[in-house]
Amino acid sequence: MDAFQLHGTTLDSLRRVEQPEPRPGPGQVRVRVAAASVNYRDYALATGRYQADLPRPFVPLSDGVGRIDALGAGVAGWTVGERVLGHYTTAWLDGPFRSANHLSKLGGPLDGWLARWIVLPADAIARVPAALDDASAATLPVSGLTAWSALRTLELAPGASVLVQGSGSVSLMALQLAAARGLDVIATSGDAAKAQRLRELGARAVIDYRNTPDLAAAVRGLTGGRGVDGIVDVVGGPQFLNLLNAAADNAHIAVIGFLDSMNVDGNLIGPIMARQLNIHGVSVGSLRDLRAFLDEVDARGIAPAVGERFAFERGAEAIASIADRRGFGKPVVLFD
């Protein structure tokens, strides 16, 4: 089987290898991969920015779609030929998150989707909405579900305001879902062309963060001085302190990413206490959540934003492309 493996903590350690064709065991299905997408996590793992101590080698990429082509013993409710997505955290089927679930993640430590086949537990897959093509569907299980879970955590009623950052895959899906639910969405972008596309997806206003010295003041100016009711933060780092000043009293903030860094140095506690802010760590969700998210995407007719498309043999290049942060939408690897 043709596959890529990550052997170290540099992009150069990502190697194309030949592996034995996998066979599904009891309770498993084998999926012939049609498309896989790249998350920031994949890039961070491949460059040592995140979980450098994770055991290697493993097949990268946590998101993918394909068709079942073999069933293991005892599998019921699935048939060969069905198009499915894999649930990223394969052991998290329902209920609240448990730290032990980290060991069941695809694309590290478990083998992911950058291979011709992937074997998955039959109870950790979901059917693909018929309206979505393979490229669109492949973008959903990690960043899409994370955006859905973030909005659920924020508990915003129609008409409430929410701030999303940039044009990465989590922010784009959060924007699309929020707009479809009747929320007032404010977005940020440092690119005029991307800003226009964010407006087309439903943002009421877009702030140019590159030319806005005080983002919080700009947000308050767009909300009558009160700030936003919810924030989906994918950047982290020092900007988080200023971001708190963009929040309204009693606002909820979903902390999702670390595009800048994981370190915050400054007065963090004061603003949280003074305005009784609610900070939530959010990452994906359960299989039950994934299926509910896919149902909403289907019911609302949401078309995920797909970024640059790469052929399978350009898999390493697809992961490296995340560093540029120039694309709009999620990079996707298409298999032939």
Side-chain angles (χ1 to χ4, degrees):
M1 175 182 72
D2 203 3
F4 283 84
Q5 276 188 332
L6 183 65
H7 287 256
T9 55
T10 65
L11 286 168
D12 290 343
S13 72
L14 185 61
R15 303 169 192 164
R16 193 170 176 180
V17 299
E18 189 66 26
Q19 296 182 320
E21 183 177 315
R23 302 289 181 184
Q28 296 180 324
V29 299
R30 187 178 70 182
V31 177
R32 177 76 177 187
V33 182
S37 70
V38 184
N39 294 285
Y40 182 75
R41 177 183 188 266
D42 301 309
Y43 172 77
L45 286 173
T47 55
R49 291 198 66 192
Y50 180 61
Q51 293 189 309
D53 57 347
L54 205 64
R56 287 155 166 82
F58 58 81
V59 175
L61 301 193
S62 305
D63 275 340
V65 62
R67 292 189 181 275
I68 297 173
D69 74 349
L71 303 174
V75 172
W78 298 99
T79 59
V80 170
E82 285 193 273
R83 198 162 59 116
V84 297
L85 294 167
H87 180 44
Y88 163 54
T89 312
T90 57
W92 188 8
L93 304 183
D94 200 357
F97 177 75
R98 298 177 183 275
S99 293
N101 291 337
H102 285 302
L103 298 176
S104 72
K105 290 180 175 179
L106 300 177
L110 302 185
D111 282 343
W113 287 85
L114 199 52
R116 296 292 179 179
W117 281 281
I118 185 171
V119 171
L120 299 168
D123 60 359
I125 56 178
R127 291 180 173 87
V128 180
L132 298 182
D133 63 16
D134 290 335
S136 298
T139 67
L140 296 178
V142 175
S143 57
L145 178 56
T146 297
W148 183 90
S149 295
L151 291 179
R152 179 183 59 182
T153 299
L154 298 182
E155 298 181 330
L156 302 177
S161 56
V162 61
L163 176 69
V164 300
Q165 299 170 300
S167 54
S169 53
V170 173
S171 297
L172 289 176
M173 182 52 65
L175 165 57
Q176 290 179 278
L177 286 169
R181 294 178 183 182
L183 301 180
D184 176 29
V185 185
I186 298 172
T188 67
S189 178
D191 182 286
K194 290 180 181 178
Q196 180 55 35
R197 294 190 67 181
L198 293 173
R199 294 186 188 95
E200 292 169 357
L201 289 176
R204 190 250 300 183
V206 182
I207 300 170
D208 181 354
Y209 66 84
R210 295 187 190 279
N211 295 304
T212 303
D214 190 338
L215 178 65
V219 170
R220 290 187 172 276
L222 289 167
T223 55
R226 65 182 300 273
V228 288
D229 302 299
I231 298 174
V232 179
D233 177 38
V234 299
V235 178
Q239 65 88 44
F240 187 74
L241 297 176
N242 189 41
L243 201 63
L244 296 180
N245 294 322
D249 293 346
N250 305 299
H252 290 257
I253 301 171
V255 178
I256 288 171
F258 51 96
L259 291 175
D260 186 298
S261 78
M262 292 188 180
N263 299 316
V264 178
D265 184 15
N267 182 8
L268 177 63
I269 304 301
I272 293 174
M273 294 181 64
R275 294 201 303 284
Q276 297 194 31
L277 304 179
N278 303 275
I279 313 298
H280 310 271
V282 177
S283 177
V284 293
S286 68
L287 176 67
R288 182 175 182 177
D289 294 333
L290 174 62
R291 290 173 175 171
F293 162 55
L294 294 174
D295 286 344
E296 181 171 359
V297 166
D298 194 28
R300 297 188 184 277
I302 292 174
V306 177
E308 188 173 358
R309 300 170 189 237
F310 296 83
F312 173 77
E313 57 269 18
R314 297 175 64 202
E317 186 180 343
I319 294 175
S321 74
I322 292 290
D324 297 333
R325 300 186 194 174
R326 290 190 299 233
F328 190 94
K330 202 170 183 182
V332 171
V333 178
L334 296 173
F335 294 57
D336 41 23

